[in-house]
Amino acid sequence: MKDWRYWLAEQRGTLLAFGIFIVMFTIYTSNHPAGFTANVVQTASNKGVLLAFVAMAQTLVVITAGIDLSVGMIFLLTNCLASWLVIGTGIETAFGVVAVLGTGLLCGAINGAIVIYGRLQPIVTTIATGAVYFGIALLLRPFPGGSVNEDLADALTGRLFGVVPASLVALLAVVLVVWMPFSRSVLGRAAYAAGSSEMAAYMSGVPIRRGKFAAYALAGLLAAIGGLFLTFFTYTGEAAYASGNAYTLFSIAAVVLGGVSLFGGKGSAIGAIFGALAFRTIGDLLFVFDFDPLWQPLFQGVILLIAVSLGAFALFRVRNRLEWFL
Amino acid sequence: EPEIVNGPSAEPECFAPWAADTQFFKFPKKEGPYRVALANGYIANTWRIQMVQTAKAYAAQPAVAAKLKEFKVVSTGEDVPAQISAINNFIDSGYDAIVVNAQNPTAFGPVIKRAKEAGVVLVAFDNILDTKDAINVNVDQKGLGELWANWLIKHIPNGGKILEVRGVAGTSVDTDRHNGIHETLDASGKKWEVTEVVGKWDDGVAQKATADAIATNGPFDGVTGQGGDTGIVQAMIDAKHPFVPFGGETENGFRKFCAKFAAEGLKCSSAGTGPAQVAVAIKTAIAALEGQVVPQAVKLPLAIVEDPNFKEGEDYFPDQSDNFFVGNSFPTCGINFTAQEIMGQSKENQ
Amino acid sequence: MSETTIGGIAGRMPKFVRRADPAVLTAFACIVLLLFVGSLYSRSFLSPEYLLQQLKVASFLGVIATGMMLVILLGQIDLSVPWSVAAGAMMACAAAAYGPVGVALAIPFGIFCGVAIGVVNGIGVAYLRIPSMIITLATNAVAQGLMVVYTGGFSPQDSATRAMRYLATGFAIPGVPNAVVIWALIGAAMVFVLTRTGFGRTVYGIGNRERAAYLSGIDTRRVVLIAFAVSGGLSAFGGVLLAGYASKAAQSMGDAYLLPSIAAVVLGGTSILGGRGSYLGTVAGVILITLLQSILSVMQMPEAGRQIIYGVVIVAMLLLYGRAPASR
Amino acid sequence: MDGAIPLFRMEGISKRYGGVRALEKAELSVTPGSIHAILGENGAGKSTLIKVMAGVVAPDEGRMMLDGSEVTFSSPAAANQAGIVCIFQELSLVPELSVSDNIVISDPPKRFGMIDRKAQRRIAEEALARAGAADIHPLALVKDLPLSRRQMVEIAKALARKPRILILDEATSALTAADVAKIFGVLKRLRSEGLALLYISHRMNEIAELADQCTVFRNGRNVASYAAGSKSDNEVVELMIGREYSHIFPPKPVRAPATAAPVLEARKLSWTDRLDNISLTVGAGEVVGLGGLDGQGQRELLLAFFGVLRGLSGQILIDGKPVAIASPAKARRDRIGMALIPEDRKTEGLMLPMTVRENLSFATLDRLSRAGIIDRAAEQRLIDDMVALLAIKTAGLDIPVGALSGGNQQKVVIAKWLMRQPRIILLNDPTRGIDVGTKQELYQLMRKLADQGAAILFYSTDYDELIGCCDRVLVLYDGAVKRELVGAEITERALIASALNIHGEEMPARGMAKGMAKTPARGADA
Ligand SMILES: Nc1ncnc2c1ncn2[C@@H]1O[C@H](COP(=O)(O)OP(=O)(O)OP(=O)(O)O)[C@@H](O)[C@H]1O
Ligand SMILES: Nc1ncnc2c1ncn2[C@@H]1O[C@H](COP(=O)(O)OP(=O)(O)OP(=O)(O)O)[C@@H](O)[C@H]1O
Ligand SMILES: O[C@@H]1[C@@H](O)[C@H](O)OC[C@H]1O
Ligand SMILES: [Mg+2]
Ligand SMILES: [Mg+2]
């Protein structure tokens, strides 16, 4: 086999997610009354990027064969915090941003510490810590409100050179600054190895605990970046329980659509980003098709069902039934 | 960008200003027919479904339909950014007016800016917007709390133990109602001991919370609940709690109980505004597009029914679902739907 | 509570308790602790009425968590619980609108709708090999969509039938609410299935290593399908009971049961990776969650504080007994 | 060679698992420039010993000395740091990572703090070449490789770590003779470079060829140490199993020509590019071997019979009648009565955390239940029979099967199928990793089952076994049957020649042939 074939095999999930996204987005924009305009793209990317950050966060944890059901709550908590802190002069705003990101990192680190050093199952740990984070968010913002540095917010949700959505650029920057270094670092590899086979990784002297811890902590950071963007996008903070849970569940859907294996060890945040964008486009499709309003939720559900079933087509190629159980 | 003008507004009966200092808007008159959109958030409860159905029915009324080129509804779920994006999309697609049931009162600043620049009329109802730049069709939530508290004060002359079942924590609706209740009780000068539990506007949750409260803190001399009232009464029945005065919302199930057990002590004040407020919101949007003067904040009348005035077939419907909210008409605005015709409509259409 | 006390108590208990995992015993000890804390706050906490009332409320979660446990034992998860519950409740009430036959078939029809959702989940997981975490999310969305269409379009009947009310709130045995009896029956059936039947063994086997189970000549896909169908059916049955309890069905009925049912199963010592866990543990988990929620509710603490305490207590309890063994 | 100074010493090492004494005051010395073999039956404590040495398991007592000073290892990484590198049988490769990722996993080359993929690939290619496995692509994912290739990657990975002490725990058990030959070359070179090597294997001939020094373990203690070659195989085996031992292979019956229709028959079986027009028959009472280099389609053939493969062409006949077998569930049904002892007992044969009891009866639940309910008394009876028949050593029926030693785990896998009294038994390399004593029992069992009328199809990577056990051997090459050897034709020479697809009497070059030709266990063969 040639090198590029191995590369292709490795990227299959990501490419499939990319393909699904492109198809859906093309259907969307070609039916949009306004067409493929800078405004439409900006609107879509502002919305998509939020989930993309949360999905990236989820990816990190899922790679270690864990799951983080608190990402949505970290996202809310940091949103509420940002609505207090990211305001004022440049220095104050900068301090606020650092504090918000630090808080996210801390939340992720707490999850990681409990799961790794406390040896608890990630799913129930993060259900519990998610409740705690939500409680704190509610303390911070019993009612929706607060404000944010609007210049910064407009800059990051606006457009560069009148065409490129700034939020997409920010997403790209985060990929380059957080994801790329992590995935190529020793710790990142340790996270993958631990997710694929913790025992093997341990026996090979891989620093699995540090790798997993880094993954959880960075997941908190990425969720916080999402929370920050939510604040930029809405100018306020709100502790909305349902929407926190929705982001958590959506992030799982995005991760799976993005070809990341829930069994750990496989997939990339890039795939998850396209998974998130594709997932968001499902909602947008409602806008361009004239559905009876009451049928819209069903339509969304069915599209989601179809999208998640696409991967099953690979099944028809399986000639050895044991491959079902990998 | 509307002109700020002096009142009174067109159809002052219907478009009642919220307060004495409420501003009046006059938008530049646009030629009809109009493209109007409804940007709903959450959809999966009866109130919202009833609301969407009412909106459709209203837009289909011949007089209204004549003014509309297009009426489009999108429900985006609980996610605020999705709703913001939907509104942005409506603006970009050239809709003339957008009616919103906002998932968050404060998050729409950027959207309001954009709508203003594009000359799009934005009307919020039910969950309204914290702004003076868009039209709000408003229910006096605090007034509702005051009403319930006054009802209890009237029926429990010497003060006593009250169970307050609250709605969804953190929403302005819940807070306003709660504040209205407490301020009024405190001002009464009587001694009240209030047990608060959270019912989340949901019968099941409210029922469970009530059952717990009765078991640990009961019995109570009076109850007030926002949403989930049917469940609250059910919990009282299950716990064999004596029937006591009750201030609650307008669910059909609740009113059925009120009518049935009034003689045994369940003296109810049932008040609120039904999902038909969406029709008022649409009506307001059209009026604004036609260049008529409208208040920035429209105050909706409360639909109040109090013991002993519960009339079968008018205020409650024994054969119908418990879940819908009675009081779906705003006669002053010429909006006269009954809830059953709304919820039954597609069946008849088939 | 020291280990010796637990051991001492355990010594006098029936065999199935003595053989239980220490984690399960600790979970029950935590229940006692919670009751103690609750009684500090309110006297009536330890009254039989209150405890029965808690048990009744717990039984709804118990029924739902039973299905969840079955699926978790397979190493899967069922995120379609919210709308399976709602669909069960709503469809049972809907059936009642169709005359006496409808009334008679209301409960089975509600359960059937849950089974149908479960079958879709099962086909997705077992035959299409879609991760359960996502296929169940999707069917949940589809079920929600269907219920919204139904509510908006069909002039719904949503009052519970007398039979439903009786199941949830009646007393066939004086003093013991029927809901509790039902949970006990379902629980006993589950214990029997898990410990005495080939199906139960197979569930554990698949949860541990599906490949090995398949190569042992087990039709693992059918077992997975059945487990999901049962989970859907039990969720729907939970919904039917809830509708009976509230005497009506509502859309959002199931929302409050998803995370607690997962938490209850895991708090009860079942491994989320599958293959390990006992039903007794799930019982403990369900009671723990219910008690905790109700203590927080009667403590009249603001929502924020409640959420924080809820989370902290769960982590604390798990650290006490739910830790995985050290690796060396 | 002054191998007298121990590089590493273990003294008084004990390790208990609950009631099980895995190690009891064990001693071991390792000298540089020599290969030290560790022998012992299954469960003797060999793996535990090396796990202690490699920092995987913490000993309860005892001390370890490296270069004369005491050391403790808190983790495998710490042991690695000290130059101790261990090749665990199959546990330490990360399946979702590529071969090169795995090879450098404990200390990847870095550039600007990130892993340098180019350098990593270079290192991996070098290491693979050193291990004689240059055919493995460094970008391939480990999970896509067959077991034998994975073991080669393990070895490359160990070499890349530049160890001072290299430990191989049954590292060659899944390798073909050709690979073993390459590995031996490497090991001998390492010895000459002054490394200390510890070698655990159940294959006596390998030890004979490689070892300088041997230590025998029994019941967690080292019972004897001696210079290689100073004891006969018989003596060694006696030390290991504590009893006398003779006649590894039971005598083969003189077969009358088959009259009845074969129990199992394949006609022109093909599947993707892995099976090519295979026709074969296995009659009742017959043991038919599958030979050839590893990976020539033997495993796929067994899976094809067992209903695991999709898109087969050709025909499978049972008792002369064509059947469609779409799943193992169908294959095991009474009408067919097939059983498969799978390749990897840990992932395919057993549910490790479940009890011995549950594992034993798992494939027979359908017969043991009435209306879905298990008849526990009947279950107990069958289990007792099987434990007795196979002499399974276990502390109880209700402990996790994962706590049994490898050989006993393998017995459980076999027992779980024998419980069904299958008519057709497919064996996929069943003696991998099990000790001589157990092997001998297994060979006898196979013959006994055949005598009782079973049709046995037996794949082995060990030529001795094929020679010793089979009535006929089919040699596969590239998915096709290249040659059928019957009775006296089954010789090592013939097996090797046909495995390499060499015709006539020409033999491969000497060095190669020596590596391939594993001398039969001396004194044991009849
Ligand atoms: N983690 C463990 N838990 C319980 N028992 C164990 C554990 N590890 C080893 N044992 C027991 O310790 C004894 C020694 O096992 P060990 O694996 O060292 O044997 P071995 O000599 O390597 O056998 P084999 O040749 O089968 O590999 C066995 O009885 C085994 O069951
Ligand atoms: N979780 C566990 N519980 C109990 N015992 C275990 C466990 N894991 C491993 N063991 C024991 O550890 C010993 C070594 O296990 P391992 O999987 O390393 O086998 P091995 O000796 O390397 O390979 P083989 O199975 O071929 O002998 C086995 O004897 C097994 O009994
Ligand atoms: O106003 C509330 C509405 O927004 C919600 O959807 O249902 C309950 C009502 O009280
Ligand atoms: Mg071993
Ligand atoms: Mg071994």
Side-chain angles (χ1 to χ4, degrees):
Chain A
M1 263 215 287
K2 291 265 166 38
D3 283 13
W4 65 267
R5 284 174 167 273
Y6 286 105
W7 181 85
L8 203 67
E10 197 189 322
Q11 305 297 328
R12 229 185 52 214
T14 303
L15 294 175
L16 184 68
F18 179 70
I20 294 178
F21 165 68
I22 290 296
V23 169
M24 295 217 279
F25 199 72
T26 308
I27 295 177
Y28 171 60
T29 48
S30 55
N31 287 287
H32 197 291
F36 184 77
T37 63
N39 267 344
V40 169
V41 174
Q42 179 192 357
T43 298
S45 71
N46 279 348
K47 179 172 82 162
V49 155
L50 294 172
L51 183 61
F53 282 125
V54 182
M56 280 175 86
Q58 189 66 267
T59 305
L60 284 174
V61 175
V62 166
I63 278 172
T64 70
I67 189 113
D68 188 347
L69 296 187
S70 73
V71 273
M73 296 310 179
I74 299 177
F75 175 72
L76 287 190
L77 169 57
T78 49
N79 165 234
C80 293
L81 191 66
S83 72
W84 284 106
L85 298 182
V86 182
I87 185 87
T89 63
I91 302 277
E92 287 165 349
T93 302
F95 167 79
V97 168
V98 170
V100 166
L101 297 184
T103 303
L105 199 64
L106 181 68
C107 291
I110 291 172
N111 287 341
I114 298 175
V115 168
I116 296 155
Y117 302 101
R119 302 199 301 271
L120 298 189
Q121 300 182 17
I123 200 166
V124 65
T125 300
T126 52
I127 287 178
T129 57
V132 174
Y133 302 149
F134 174 70
I136 299 172
L138 204 54
L139 283 182
L140 286 170
R141 284 273 165 236
F143 319 111
S147 48
V148 68
N149 185 326
E150 295 192 10
D151 294 337
L152 181 63
D154 291 349
L156 285 172
T157 56
R159 291 199 293 258
L160 290 182
F161 318 115
V163 278
V164 188
S167 52
L168 276 191
V169 176
L171 181 65
L172 187 68
V174 172
V175 168
L176 292 177
V177 174
V178 180
W179 169 251
M180 286 298 183
F182 175 75
S183 66
R184 293 173 182 214
S185 68
V186 172
L187 288 185
R189 178 158 300 167
Y192 272 100
S196 177
S197 168
E198 184 152 346
M199 194 60 186
Y202 174 70
M203 298 276 228
S204 308
V206 173
I208 36 180
R209 289 175 164 215
R210 270 188 296 141
K212 281 167 76 173
F213 184 77
Y216 276 89
L218 285 179
L221 177 74
L222 288 169
I225 297 176
L228 206 53
F229 259 85
L230 177 61
T231 326
F232 293 149
F233 197 34
T234 62
Y235 287 4
T236 55
E238 185 193 12
Y241 185 80
S243 111
N245 270 341
Y247 271 87
T248 301
L249 294 180
F250 293 173
S251 74
I252 296 170
V255 155
V256 174
L257 283 178
V260 181
S261 163
L262 290 174
F263 303 108
K266 191 178 140 198
S268 96
I270 318 279
I273 288 173
F274 287 116
L277 297 180
F279 183 88
R280 284 312 221 166
T281 311
I282 295 177
D284 285 337
L285 288 178
L286 291 182
F287 184 82
V288 296
F289 292 112
D290 238 337
F291 277 104
D292 183 300
L294 290 179
W295 288 79
Q296 289 174 3
L298 183 60
F299 170 78
Q300 288 201 51
V302 170
I303 297 281
L304 178 60
L305 197 60
I306 293 171
V308 305
S309 306
L310 281 182
F313 283 110
L315 219 64
F316 296 114
R317 285 192 320 231
V318 168
R319 309 297 294 275
N320 180 343
R321 295 190 177 94
L322 288 183
E323 285 174 30
W324 290 341
F325 309 110
L326 287 183
Chain B
E1 332 67 77
E3 223 181 300
I4 310 262
V5 296
N6 288 326
S9 65
E11 297 192 53
E13 295 280 270
C14 177
F15 302 133
W18 178 258
D21 61 352
T22 299
Q23 291 180 330
F24 291 86
F25 286 162
K26 185 171 175 6
F27 284 81
K29 182 176 162 59
K30 272 196 190 175
E31 283 311 313
Y34 308 113
R35 297 172 69 203
V36 176
L38 166 58
N40 180 41
Y42 187 59
I43 174 80
N45 72 13
T46 319
W47 197 98
R48 293 295 175 104
I49 293 168
Q50 196 177 331
M51 182 274 284
V52 167
Q53 295 288 71
T54 309
K56 270 176 22 189
Y58 182 70
Q61 284 185 348
V64 182
K67 293 180 185 172
L68 296 179
K69 186 154 87 191
E70 189 188 343
F71 179 67
K72 184 167 182 116
V73 185
V74 168
S75 300
T76 44
E78 271 141 340
D79 183 25
V80 177
Q83 196 176 25
I84 293 177
S85 297
I87 297 174
N88 280 336
N89 272 323
F90 281 129
I91 295 172
D92 289 339
S93 309
Y95 281 78
D96 300 303
I98 302 165
V99 178
V100 194
N101 188 341
Q103 278 303 124
N104 169 330
T106 59
F108 289 75
V111 177
I112 295 168
K113 258 192 222 168
R114 208 157 150 184
K116 217 168 161 182
E117 280 161 22
V120 175
V121 173
L122 202 57
V123 180
F125 69 100
D126 187 27
N127 292 290
I128 48 147
L129 298 171
D130 260 1
T131 180
K132 294 231 174 303
D133 289 326
I135 302 172
N136 279 323
V137 174
N138 220 339
V139 179
D140 185 2
Q141 303 291 2
K142 193 168 174 192
L144 197 54
E146 289 164 0
L147 179 92
W148 292 331
N150 282 323
W151 178 260
L152 295 178
I153 292 167
K154 187 170 126 198
H155 284 82
I156 312 166
N158 303 320
K161 276 171 83 172
I162 302 291
L163 173 64
E164 182 196 358
V165 181
R166 299 188 59 169
V168 172
T171 60
S172 62
V173 173
D174 172 67
T175 316
D176 289 348
R177 291 173 180 175
H178 172 77
N179 290 341
I181 292 169
H182 280 256
E183 284 170 22
T184 311
L185 288 181
D186 291 347
S188 72
K190 291 172 190 151
K191 221 173 114 40
W192 302 100
E193 189 189 315
V194 183
T195 300
E196 279 173 41
V197 294
V198 177
K200 300 194 174 164
W201 291 331
D202 179 273
D203 282 304
V205 179
Q207 183 175 355
K208 216 185 290 179
T210 305
D212 280 344
I214 291 175
T216 52
N217 288 32
F220 301 100
D221 303 310
V223 180
T224 171
Q226 36 170 316
D229 303 292
T230 320
I232 299 172
V233 180
Q234 189 65 55
M236 293 167 69
I237 297 172
D238 288 345
K240 307 204 167 55
H241 188 280
F243 288 115
V244 293
F246 196 131
E249 281 203 70
T250 64
E251 301 98 320
N252 190 40
F254 173 55
R255 287 189 172 182
K256 284 195 234 172
F257 279 135
C258 291
K260 188 167 166 197
F261 297 117
E264 291 160 53
L266 189 64
K267 307 277 181 211
C268 300
S269 168
S270 165
T273 60
Q277 53 179 287
V278 68
V280 183
I282 297 169
K283 187 182 167 82
T284 313
I286 294 174
L289 287 172
E290 287 172 336
Q292 301 181 31
V293 174
V294 291
Q296 184 264 323
V298 176
K299 185 170 189 168
L300 286 173
L302 288 176
I304 308 172
V305 184
E306 300 191 326
D307 184 74
N309 302 322
F310 289 99
K311 284 197 270 313
E312 183 174 333
E314 193 172 307
D315 301 315
Y316 70 98
F317 304 87
D319 299 335
Q320 304 281 329
S321 159
D322 282 351
N323 279 335
F324 71 86
F325 291 75
V326 197
N328 216 34
S329 59
F330 292 95
T332 47
C333 296
I335 292 164
N336 294 304
F337 297 105
T338 63
Q340 312 85 300
E341 72 182 283
I342 290 301
M343 294 311 275
Q345 70 165 346
S346 353
K347 200 180 183 185
E348 272 128 49
N349 290 351
Q350 277 163 7
Chain C
M1 193 166 273
S2 74
E3 292 228 3
T4 46
T5 350
I6 296 171
I9 295 168
R12 267 172 276 122
M13 286 194 169
K15 190 169 156 223
F16 78 101
V17 177
R18 257 183 289 135
R19 279 184 46 193
D21 177 350
V24 175
L25 295 178
T26 321
F28 277 103
C30 285
I31 292 176
V32 174
L33 192 72
L34 275 186
L35 284 172
F36 174 71
V37 172
S39 69
L40 290 184
Y41 172 76
S42 154
R43 272 270 204 72
S44 35
F45 218 87
L46 294 180
S47 69
E49 300 84 53
Y50 181 78
L51 293 179
L52 272 179
Q53 143 84 15
Q54 287 312 303
L55 217 49
K56 179 164 92 180
V57 170
S59 53
F60 307 131
L61 180 60
V63 170
I64 295 166
T66 304
M68 184 64 92
M69 177 184 179
L70 196 58
V71 165
I72 290 182
L73 280 177
L74 288 172
Q76 309 288 356
I77 199 143
D78 186 353
L79 300 182
S80 68
V81 159
W83 287 90
S84 300
V85 169
M90 292 172 65
M91 291 300 103
C93 295
Y98 294 89
V101 179
V103 171
L105 291 180
I107 296 175
F109 182 66
I111 296 173
F112 168 81
C113 290
V115 171
I117 297 172
V119 165
V120 177
N121 289 334
I123 290 174
V125 175
Y127 292 85
L128 304 179
R129 314 291 319 168
I130 302 168
S132 56
M133 195 159 288
I134 172 116
I135 179 79
T136 57
L137 202 61
T139 54
N140 188 55
V142 171
Q144 164 175 354
L146 287 170
M147 290 305 110
V148 167
V149 170
Y150 161 76
T151 309
F154 294 87
S155 176
Q157 142 90 36
D158 56 13
S159 309
T161 61
R162 298 237 324 265
M164 286 160 72
R165 290 220 17 89
Y166 178 72
L167 280 189
T169 59
F171 289 86
I173 304 168
V176 187
N178 284 346
V180 179
V181 176
I182 286 174
W183 181 29
L185 290 176
I186 289 178
M190 179 79 169
V191 170
F192 185 80
V193 166
L194 287 181
T195 58
R196 295 296 171 88
T197 67
F199 178 82
R201 286 275 178 89
T202 317
V203 166
Y204 282 99
I206 293 174
N208 275 304
R209 188 69 76 175
E210 184 169 4
R211 184 190 265 260
Y214 174 77
L215 282 176
S216 303
I218 306 290
D219 187 349
T220 59
R221 296 189 293 178
R222 209 188 56 184
V223 173
V224 172
L225 174 64
I226 293 174
F228 273 96
V230 170
S231 173
L234 284 174
S235 290
F237 188 48
V240 166
L241 291 177
L242 275 171
Y245 174 65
S247 59
K248 69 194 192 67
Q251 279 84 348
S252 52
M253 286 184 116
D255 291 0
Y257 288 88
L258 175 61
L259 294 184
S261 66
I262 299 173
V265 171
V266 178
L267 267 178
T270 297
S271 163
I272 201 79
L273 303 174
R276 197 162 50 76
S278 75
Y279 191 76
L280 200 58
T282 299
V283 172
V286 166
I287 296 177
L288 271 179
I289 294 275
T290 309
L291 269 185
L292 184 57
Q293 283 175 345
S294 98
I295 288 180
L296 293 172
S297 159
V298 297
M299 270 165 82
Q300 292 219 42
M301 174 162 301
E303 180 73 6
R306 255 186 238 193
Q307 292 279 349
I308 294 172
I309 295 180
Y310 179 74
V312 169
V313 170
I314 288 182
V315 169
M317 286 193 296
L318 284 172
L319 284 176
L320 200 60
Y321 68 79
R323 303 183 70 190
S327 53
R328 339 196 293 151
Chain D
M1 187 162 57
D2 61 353
I5 308 150
L7 170 59
F8 186 82
R9 228 187 115 61
M10 301 171 87
E11 289 171 3
I13 301 281
S14 298
K15 177 75 190 175
R16 284 177 199 81
Y17 290 105
V20 181
R21 296 175 168 188
L23 288 175
E24 188 72 23
K25 303 240 184 285
E27 315 265 321
L28 189 74
S29 293
V30 183
T31 42
S34 85
I35 298 180
H36 192 147
I38 299 182
L39 299 89
E41 64 178 329
N42 293 125
K46 308 179 297 293
S47 294
T48 310
L49 183 81
I50 60 109
K51 282 180 185 165
V52 168
M53 201 167 160
V56 175
V57 161
D60 300 333
E61 58 176 345
R63 48 188 211 137
M64 299 191 278
M65 258 106 60
L66 182 65
D67 297 323
S69 50
E70 191 165 341
V71 285
T72 52
F73 302 131
S74 59
S75 69
N80 262 327
Q81 222 86 71
I84 301 179
V85 170
C86 184
I87 299 173
F88 303 101
Q89 190 164 1
E90 66 224 53
L91 279 174
S92 66
L93 289 181
V94 178
E96 295 282 357
L97 293 187
S98 72
V99 168
S100 62
D101 289 344
N102 267 286
I103 287 176
V104 303
I105 194 153
S106 55
D107 186 21
K110 276 170 277 191
R111 230 176 132 218
F112 310 122
M114 286 186 232
I115 295 171
D116 180 347
R117 298 203 206 179
K118 281 212 187 97
Q120 154 180 328
R121 178 155 179 183
R122 220 170 32 242
I123 296 172
E125 276 167 354
E126 259 171 46
L128 286 167
R130 278 229 294 165
D135 59 312
I136 300 175
H137 197 288
L139 294 184
L141 295 189
V142 164
K143 68 167 183 181
D144 296 333
L145 300 178
L147 193 53
S148 61
R149 302 289 84 195
R150 286 187 217 181
Q151 283 199 337
M152 295 304 278
V153 176
E154 274 282 14
I155 290 163
K157 171 179 155 188
L159 296 182
R161 289 198 235 178
K162 315 242 173 328
R164 295 175 69 199
I165 303 177
L166 179 63
I167 308 168
L168 297 93
D169 187 1
E170 296 182 50
T172 54
S173 65
L175 293 189
T176 57
D179 283 331
V180 170
K182 289 183 204 160
I183 292 307
F184 280 15
V186 176
L187 296 182
K188 286 172 184 167
R189 193 175 70 235
L190 292 175
R191 169 172 61 189
S192 68
E193 287 167 10
L195 255 74
L197 293 109
L198 269 179
Y199 192 82
I200 300 178
S201 173
H202 291 293
R203 292 179 176 174
M204 302 294 282
N205 52 333
E206 291 183 355
I207 289 171
E209 179 172 351
L210 266 187
D212 304 306
Q213 180 76 20
C214 300
T215 299
V216 178
F217 270 75
R218 195 163 79 219
N219 296 333
R221 293 168 183 274
N222 44 317
V223 292
S225 276
Y226 56 90
S230 66
K231 285 191 198 303
S232 78
D233 275 6
N234 256 335
E235 286 172 301
V236 175
V237 173
E238 246 182 85
L239 277 173
M240 280 167 59
I241 63 179
R243 66 182 151 88
E244 216 171 312
Y245 139 108
S246 59
H247 297 299
I248 261 213
F249 298 109
K252 297 180 193 176
V254 185
R255 285 183 54 80
T259 45
V263 180
L264 176 66
E265 181 176 358
R267 286 191 194 151
K268 302 195 168 186
L269 218 50
S270 295
W271 182 72
T272 66
D273 58 352
R274 310 285 298 155
L275 295 180
D276 179 12
N277 245 334
I278 293 191
S279 298
L280 62 80
T281 61
V282 188
E286 220 183 355
V287 179
V288 175
L290 290 176
L293 300 173
D294 188 40
Q296 301 304 306
Q298 299 96 334
R299 297 192 156 93
E300 288 81 357
L301 181 59
L302 298 182
L303 292 177
F305 283 128
F306 207 52
V308 174
L309 303 185
R310 294 169 70 180
L312 275 179
S313 65
Q315 258 188 341
I316 295 174
L317 299 91
I318 304 290
D319 298 326
K321 286 189 274 298
V323 289
I325 304 175
S327 66
K330 299 228 166 70
R332 75 173 195 183
R333 282 192 314 208
D334 293 347
R335 211 149 40 80
I336 298 174
M338 202 184 286
L340 169 73
I341 311 305
E343 173 179 11
D344 181 356
R345 64 174 165 266
K346 287 184 172 146
T347 65
E348 300 182 335
L350 298 170
M351 270 77 61
L352 292 177
M354 290 174 76
T355 63
V356 175
R357 177 196 307 278
E358 289 164 336
N359 272 282
L360 279 171
S361 59
F362 198 79
T364 317
L365 290 173
D366 55 334
R367 290 203 193 148
L368 288 172
S369 343
R370 268 221 200 146
I373 300 162
I374 300 169
D375 176 347
R376 297 209 279 189
E379 182 190 22
Q380 183 71 46
R381 274 194 304 277
L382 273 187
I383 288 174
D384 289 343
D385 289 352
M386 283 300 139
V387 171
L389 178 68
L390 290 179
I392 297 172
K393 260 186 273 168
T394 172
L397 290 177
D398 292 310
I399 61 166
V401 77
L404 265 54
S405 79
N408 281 297
Q409 289 181 12
Q410 185 69 8
K411 286 186 183 175
V412 172
V413 180
I414 295 169
K416 106 177 192 193
W417 279 107
L418 292 190
M419 212 181 254
R420 290 189 76 87
Q421 299 175 305
R423 298 190 309 138
I424 303 167
I425 304 173
L426 313 173
L427 295 143
N428 191 345
D429 210 3
T431 57
R432 188 162 54 81
I434 68 179
D435 66 42
V436 266
T438 312
K439 272 185 192 168
Q440 184 186 15
E441 293 166 30
L442 192 69
Y443 301 145
Q444 268 151 7
L445 183 69
M446 271 167 60
R447 185 47 68 189
K448 191 165 124 194
L449 292 167
D451 290 345
Q452 290 168 0
I456 298 179
L457 190 57
F458 172 44
Y459 170 52
S460 171
T461 47
D462 187 339
Y463 292 153
D464 298 341
E465 287 181 355
L466 293 175
I467 297 165
C469 293
C470 299
D471 301 315
R472 281 189 288 137
V473 175
L474 304 171
V475 181
L476 267 61
Y477 184 86
D478 202 13
V481 177
K482 275 289 131 107
R483 196 162 166 201
E484 175 170 347
L485 304 166
V486 182
E489 289 168 29
I490 314 173
T491 61
E492 199 174 325
R493 171 176 275 258
L495 280 172
I496 293 167
S498 42
L500 296 172
N501 201 18
I502 300 165
H503 300 287
E505 290 310 297
E506 49 173 315
M507 279 293 289
R510 253 188 81 78
M512 183 86 180
K514 181 163 171 18
M516 308 263 329
K518 293 181 291 181
T519 38
R522 267 156 283 160
D525 217 7

